[in-house]
Amino acid sequence: MPASEVKEDCFRLPQNLTVRAITNVQQEILQFLDKTASTTIELDDDCQVDISFIQLLEAARIYAGTAGKHIALARPASGPTLDVLKRSGFLEGMSAEDLKFWLHQGGIQ
Amino acid sequence: MSFPDPIAVFRTEAAELLEQIEAGLLDLNVNLGDKDQVDAVFRGLHTLKGSGAMFGFDALAAFTHHCETAFDRVRKGEVPATRELVTAVLEAKDHMRALVDTPNGDHEATGEALLANLRAAVDGANNPGTGVFAKAAPGQNHFKIRFSLPQNAMANGTNPLPLLDELRELGECEIVADRSAIPSLELLAPTDLYVSWEVELLTTQPRSAIDDVFIFVMDEMQLDVTTVEPAPAARTPAKTQAPAAETLPAAVPQVVAAAPAAQPAPAATALVDAKQKKASENVRVPAEKLDELMDRVGELVIAQSRLSQLAGGSGDLQLRAVSEDVERLSGELRDTMMVLRMVPVTQLFGRFRRLVHDLAHETGKTIELVTEGETTEVDKSVIERLADPLVHLVRNSCDHGLETPEERRAAGKPEAGHILLSARQQAGEVIITIKDDGRGINKERVRAKAESSGLIAPNANLTDQELYQLIFQPGFSTAQTVTNLSGRGVGMDVVKRTIDALRGTINVTSHVGKGSEISLAIPLTLAIIDGLLVRVGDGRYVIPLSAVEECLELPIEEDMRSRGRSFISLRDSLVPFLRLRDLFRTGTKPDPFQKVVVISTGSERVGLVVDQIIGDHQTVIKGMSKLHHDVATFSGATILGDGDVALILDVGHLVAEGQQQEAHLRAAG
Amino acid sequence: MSASILTVDDSASIRLTTRVALSNAGYQITEAVDGLDGIAKLKAGQFDLIVTDLNMPNMDGLTMIRELRKMPAHMGVPVIFLTTESDNDIKQEAKAAGATGWLTKPFDPESLVKIVRKVLGR
């Protein structure tokens, strides 16, 4: 019973994105990234997020970068995700690249 | 293997605790809202009480208990910290020291009086309406924090987010995540924590509040907290108002203000939390063990120099090679030993904060003590011997140098007088400077006093430096009123004697109305010196190399010509010289190729005529026996490589002798 | 949605104190009487936090914590243990077993709630 479903290159993540479920999320994202050249991550509005997930997406960006693949969020981070980004100090000192990925700010593309 | 006496260990510990307590109280006196210092003082008192009781210092434990209780109430916010309370506990602290030193002495009456003081201070402070605490601007602490939680923190149930939230609740807070350690997805252990944090925090809370946030992960995490010193803004007003203060070096100074209790506290004063200094891994070694080791190294250096002499005299190449190795190693060992004996002047300087505090209290002056270069390291035996002269000098500055607030106002100076105590290293010497922005030395008065007490001839032609040096003569004092502190003419001559004994020099500069500066230049280390080994007649002598300026030939015809007038001309200036052969009455004939070794102490020079210069010699100074204590020409003795004894010349004394000879000749001619 | 807490203690009076304090603070409480019972409750459900005693019959607290840390379903769940002394060795052992924090007995209800809030952040 996969908690996520695949539609085109869009990858919808499960609700629980905390350390409790993060090991499964890692496997699923890895598999998905390997299948497609360009991945768009879709987050549930009322998903549960903690730092392990922010860490995971950062790791996924590095992975995609070295594998020559593209990864993006379907919508700018909001709700619980944005809250964790704020509280964990990720928003401070973000590069233009980071702002574009997490908040869809700055870059034209 | 013997264990150290626990009582002795306790005494050492108690002395350290008392110093900590004192430092905390003095800091608190400047910033009554400093909760860190309240905690520090409380902890110190608490430990002192506990260990005291354990080692049978019952009177100490009982007495300290009362002070601890008072500070516990301050800590809990039941009683505000007031200057009265700080002063009461400072006085009580001296009593605690007495209880440590002489636990069986008759201290009861003093103790009761001090406790009555303490109670009055606490009650007075507690009296609603005083409200000092409420009005005192709470000192904000500025912390820079770097931390990383244990890697398995998240897996073991620690969520970093609430911890970060807690940090934010402490005050104004900026948190930046460092994610540079996050690996690529396939390498990520997703439940491990890779992120670490950098935090800047402005808070009224003490440092311990940060520890409280991390209490459950403290042992396994990395936490690096540094206190950011307050901006130097607090010093700016003093600078713009006082022209003399401008000459104070700008290097991050520690400013400690001491004001008489009756006066309002000086405006915000920069404070350095010296207690935040990083604890590093240290091993505590009793000082005697170090001295013992030093002695051994000294013996080794002597044995080594015998070995090199033997090796040098033999044709055995292998022996020479070994000898050279041993020479190098013992040299390195000596250097390492020297470093071990070096201690920062922090503790020495620390004492003066209390002294200045007390002096301000007694004289009714507002005095700001600035210390610089506290990390400068000096041989520990030098530090021990420097304490007394420095006390005299600082007292002198506070008492005579600085004017009363009224006088200062009238002179257009800020009311608070400044005293700068600084230390720095300079080519094998440590320079300790005591500088004030007071009234300066009145040359006319020094001259009048010196003439009336017969130290100098009327209208004698003296340079400023010569004139200033007169204040170090025994019995000399220009103070018109004798105060409790100084002005009895006792002290300054002690300074001179001690500095001479340390083979150091004193330099005085002063400007009327602007202040005085007294610099002490002391050799960094005492026990081993590099010397120049010379022969005079049949004896060999060591001249400290640091004093040697140059060596000249003294051709026999020049020697003949100069008989009767003991001067040589050295680059257009006449330098007096002493014939050591005559001085030591060797009864030998002069060597046909005599040499002149020019030695100096600061600005004074003298030439020493010797028969032969043997060469550089590393010398372990041995003290002279009591029998020879009065022999002023020599400062010590050393054992040469061949087992013979050589005397070490006392440079200061010989220079003085040369100058005297010059003065005589001048007076005669 | 209030957080749910599992309390594990063989003492009925402590369980009661804990339940009252935490319920009043708005948490959902499930009780277990020893380590073995605790593991059974963990297999049956999800909890946001566990408060456990260390000295218990059948299965002691340390063993339960070690077992719990092997269960993927409970990855990262915070565990607070109760200890009678401020004994550092026991703290270290429990931390090594995977505990998150501790509370020293005897405790008052406020400090229990404070610790739970500190760890959960809510």
Side-chain angles (χ1 to χ4, degrees):
Chain A
M1 181 197 80
S4 49
E5 40 190 276
V6 180
K7 47 175 177 176
E8 298 170 17
D9 62 347
C10 203
F11 186 58
R12 192 179 175 85
L13 286 176
Q15 266 215 322
N16 189 340
L17 299 170
T18 68
V19 65
R20 192 170 295 203
I22 204 71
T23 308
N24 288 338
V25 180
Q26 178 191 32
Q27 292 314 312
E28 288 177 25
I29 293 189
L30 262 178
Q31 282 164 21
F32 196 89
L33 282 173
D34 283 344
K35 272 191 290 185
T36 60
S38 176
T39 304
T40 304
I41 305 269
E42 234 182 283
L43 291 168
D44 219 80
D45 276 342
D46 53 354
C47 59
Q48 293 167 272
V49 180
D50 66 12
I51 285 179
S52 68
F53 175 64
I54 309 294
Q55 208 175 245
L56 188 82
L57 275 198
E58 287 291 335
R61 289 176 65 199
I62 297 170
Y63 179 80
T66 33
K69 295 175 186 248
H70 183 258
I71 185 169
L73 294 179
R75 279 166 290 133
S78 62
T81 314
L82 183 60
D83 181 56
V84 172
L85 280 174
K86 272 186 202 159
R87 286 165 73 201
S88 61
F90 268 78
L91 278 192
E92 323 285 336
M94 267 195 179
S95 68
E97 194 73 9
D98 299 331
L99 286 168
K100 201 174 112 192
F101 175 83
W102 287 103
L103 305 173
H104 294 196
Q105 277 177 9
I108 305 156
Q109 283 134 344
Chain B
M1 163 104 214
S2 66
F3 289 97
D5 175 14
I7 303 279
V9 174
F10 167 72
R11 284 213 163 95
T12 313
E13 187 197 357
E16 280 172 15
L17 284 169
L18 286 167
E19 285 209 19
Q20 272 172 32
I21 293 168
E22 182 180 86
L25 287 168
L26 291 169
D27 279 348
L28 203 55
N29 198 42
V30 177
N31 182 0
L32 289 170
D34 192 338
K35 285 191 166 174
D36 262 8
Q37 296 307 339
V38 172
D39 281 348
V41 171
F42 172 78
R43 276 197 307 273
L45 291 167
H46 182 78
T47 311
L48 185 65
K49 182 186 81 170
S51 325
M54 191 144 39
F55 292 103
F57 291 75
D58 292 336
L60 173 71
F63 181 80
T64 309
H65 170 76
H66 293 287
C67 301
E68 186 205 357
T69 310
F71 257 81
D72 193 29
R73 295 185 64 188
V74 175
R75 204 170 61 120
K76 290 176 176 149
E78 295 171 4
V79 173
T82 61
R83 270 176 224 293
E84 286 73 14
L85 180 61
V86 169
T87 306
V89 180
L90 264 179
E91 281 166 6
K93 193 224 81 193
D94 292 347
H95 184 60
M96 292 173 204
R97 180 159 290 157
L99 289 171
V100 171
D101 293 339
T102 53
N104 299 319
D106 184 13
H107 299 300
E108 215 173 317
T110 327
E112 279 310 314
L114 288 169
L115 289 180
N117 263 350
L118 182 68
R119 275 190 292 272
V122 172
D123 291 344
N126 212 13
N127 182 12
T130 336
V132 184
F133 199 65
K135 276 176 209 154
Q140 271 208 327
N141 292 314
H142 185 180
F143 296 114
K144 279 199 170 160
I145 309 164
R146 253 207 88 89
F147 73 92
S148 52
L149 297 169
Q151 201 174 19
N152 61 2
M154 291 197 298
N156 279 349
T158 301
N159 184 349
L161 288 175
L163 299 181
L164 294 168
D165 292 342
E166 269 190 69
L167 280 179
R168 284 195 182 86
E169 281 161 18
L170 293 178
E172 258 178 86
C173 193
E174 193 188 72
I175 298 177
V176 181
D178 176 355
R179 52 196 141 147
S180 53
I182 301 176
S184 181
L185 188 60
E186 79 278 19
L187 303 171
L188 183 88
T191 59
D192 277 358
L193 188 59
Y194 296 89
V195 186
S196 60
W197 283 273
E198 276 183 49
V199 181
E200 233 177 302
L201 175 64
L202 263 175
T203 178
T204 52
Q205 301 277 318
R207 150 82 218 245
S208 58
I210 300 167
D211 292 348
D212 285 348
V213 169
F214 297 111
I215 176 152
F216 291 145
V217 274
M218 206 61 188
D219 291 343
E220 301 100 48
M221 75 184 295
Q222 285 189 352
L223 177 62
D224 190 12
V225 181
T226 47
T227 308
V228 180
E229 315 306 350
R235 287 201 66 200
T236 323
K239 262 192 174 173
T240 47
Q241 285 166 24
E246 270 176 359
T247 52
L248 293 178
V252 219
Q254 293 203 16
V255 180
V256 177
Q263 294 210 349
T269 310
L271 237 196
V272 170
D273 192 352
K275 266 60 64 193
Q276 296 288 355
K277 274 174 198 147
K278 261 198 188 161
S280 48
E281 278 186 46
N282 282 321
V283 180
R284 195 176 294 200
V285 180
E288 313 90 73
K289 300 250 170 183
L290 268 190
D291 291 340
E292 217 172 276
L293 182 58
M294 187 69 212
D295 268 2
R296 297 280 179 280
V297 171
E299 305 286 341
L300 180 68
V301 169
I302 290 169
Q304 173 269 315
S305 89
R306 275 169 71 182
L307 175 64
S308 359
Q309 244 173 32
L310 279 177
S314 90
D316 189 335
L317 285 179
Q318 274 183 313
L319 178 63
R320 277 196 198 182
V322 172
S323 162
E324 271 163 29
D325 278 352
V326 173
E327 183 172 350
R328 180 178 51 80
L329 287 171
S330 68
E332 286 170 6
L333 184 60
R334 181 193 80 132
D335 291 348
T336 312
M337 185 61 224
M338 289 304 174
V339 174
L340 283 187
R341 289 172 57 92
M342 302 290 262
V343 290
V345 297
T346 320
Q347 257 196 348
L348 178 65
F349 279 13
R351 302 186 196 183
F352 292 103
R353 303 171 59 199
R354 172 66 187 272
L355 179 71
V356 168
H357 173 265
D358 288 351
L359 288 172
H361 205 91
E362 286 175 44
T363 57
K365 298 173 182 174
T366 308
I367 307 172
E368 227 174 65
L369 175 70
V370 182
T371 56
E372 278 180 2
E374 295 201 307
T375 51
T376 308
E377 295 195 329
V378 186
D379 190 282
K380 114 187 145 43
S381 53
V382 176
I383 288 216
E384 283 156 11
R385 289 159 79 175
L386 268 179
D388 279 349
L390 281 180
V391 167
H392 285 301
L393 291 173
V394 170
R395 278 199 160 167
N396 204 61
S397 280
C398 290
D399 209 28
H400 301 319
L402 295 178
E403 312 90 328
T404 62
E406 298 76 47
E407 287 172 314
R408 292 182 67 89
R409 251 199 319 274
K413 293 178 175 182
E415 270 187 34
H418 286 81
I419 292 186
L420 170 75
L421 191 58
S422 73
R424 68 194 154 88
Q425 270 190 28
Q426 184 182 296
E429 289 190 319
V430 61
I431 315 286
I432 299 205
T433 307
I434 302 96
K435 180 174 178 170
D436 64 60
D437 64 346
R439 53 169 75 92
I441 298 174
N442 185 329
K443 280 188 270 187
E444 276 60 52
R445 236 162 69 202
V446 171
R447 178 181 287 278
K449 171 80 186 177
E451 284 178 4
S452 73
S453 53
L455 285 171
I456 54 167
N459 300 319
N461 191 12
L462 294 176
T463 64
D464 282 358
Q465 190 58 232
E466 287 165 334
L467 201 59
Y468 292 143
Q469 292 290 340
L470 290 174
I471 62 175
F472 296 107
Q473 292 296 323
F476 189 94
S477 172
T478 62
Q480 282 160 340
T481 53
V482 171
T483 71
N484 185 26
L485 305 165
S486 47
R488 293 197 196 89
V490 180
M492 291 304 250
D493 59 318
V494 173
V495 172
K496 171 101 175 116
R497 263 212 308 281
T498 316
I499 302 305
D500 283 352
L502 289 169
R503 292 184 288 117
T505 53
I506 306 177
N507 204 41
V508 184
T509 51
S510 182
H511 299 284
V512 172
K514 286 190 175 171
S516 316
E517 179 176 340
I518 298 182
S519 296
L520 312 176
I522 322 273
L524 279 177
T525 178
L526 289 182
I528 295 185
I529 58 164
D530 284 319
L532 190 66
L533 189 62
V534 299
R535 183 176 62 79
V536 179
D538 297 328
R540 282 178 288 178
Y541 301 88
V542 175
I543 304 171
L545 206 55
S546 58
V548 174
E549 279 208 338
E550 57 189 304
C551 301
L552 309 164
E553 294 274 347
L554 182 66
I556 205 146
E557 51 275 23
E558 173 92 11
D559 185 30
M560 299 306 285
R561 219 178 323 141
S562 65
R563 290 233 166 254
R565 65 164 191 100
S566 301
F567 286 95
I568 50 167
S569 83
L570 192 65
R571 283 184 297 278
D572 299 336
S573 68
L574 284 180
V575 175
F577 66 78
L578 300 169
R579 289 188 175 80
L580 293 185
R581 216 167 359 87
D582 296 348
L583 197 64
F584 300 158
R585 302 202 184 93
T586 57
T588 53
K589 286 202 161 149
D591 194 276
F593 305 103
Q594 289 186 97
K595 305 284 189 301
V596 181
V597 180
V598 180
I599 58 174
S600 74
T601 60
S603 49
E604 317 292 352
R605 287 190 297 183
V606 68
L608 302 176
V609 181
V610 303
D611 285 323
Q612 189 194 350
I613 291 173
I614 301 171
D616 287 2
H617 183 79
Q618 204 173 71
T619 298
V620 184
I621 300 179
K622 300 272 181 190
M624 305 244 274
S625 72
K626 284 219 175 77
L627 197 65
H628 300 100
H629 202 72
D630 295 336
V631 181
T633 318
F634 305 109
S635 59
T638 185
I639 302 164
L640 296 175
D642 55 14
D644 266 9
V645 170
L647 295 171
I648 302 165
L649 299 183
D650 185 330
V651 170
H653 178 83
L654 288 170
V655 168
E657 190 125 318
Q659 296 296 326
Q660 222 169 357
Q661 174 181 321
E662 185 186 0
H664 276 306
L665 287 171
R666 264 191 205 165
Chain C
M1 188 188 71
S2 63
S4 87
I5 296 178
L6 173 68
T7 67
V8 188
D9 207 308
D10 57 326
S11 152
S13 63
I14 301 249
R15 284 203 305 275
L16 182 65
T17 320
T18 317
R19 170 183 281 274
V20 171
L22 293 177
S23 308
N24 285 343
Y27 297 106
Q28 300 265 323
I29 307 300
T30 305
E31 288 178 10
V33 297
D34 56 32
L36 218 51
D37 190 20
I39 293 293
K41 297 284 192 313
L42 283 163
K43 280 181 176 154
Q46 285 284 330
F47 302 96
D48 295 298
L49 182 128
I50 295 152
V51 179
T52 179
D53 192 17
L54 290 183
N55 263 322
M56 292 180 293
N58 299 323
M59 183 191 279
D60 64 35
L62 283 180
T63 313
M64 187 193 77
I65 297 171
R66 286 192 195 102
E67 289 300 310
L68 156 70
R69 287 291 177 231
K70 290 183 207 152
M71 301 162 83
H74 299 287
M75 167 57 75
V77 64
V79 178
I80 293 166
F81 63 93
L82 306 175
T83 174
T84 40
E85 278 152 70
S86 43
D87 186 337
N88 231 5
D89 289 350
I90 292 183
K91 276 181 198 162
Q92 291 307 329
E93 207 180 339
K95 290 275 311 184
T100 314
W102 59 84
L103 181 64
T104 310
K105 284 197 282 191
F107 58 87
D108 51 274
E110 292 95 83
S111 42
L112 173 64
V113 173
K114 222 172 101 187
I115 293 287
V116 168
R117 286 225 171 98
K118 175 181 172 68
V119 172
L120 280 181
R122 55 186 155 132

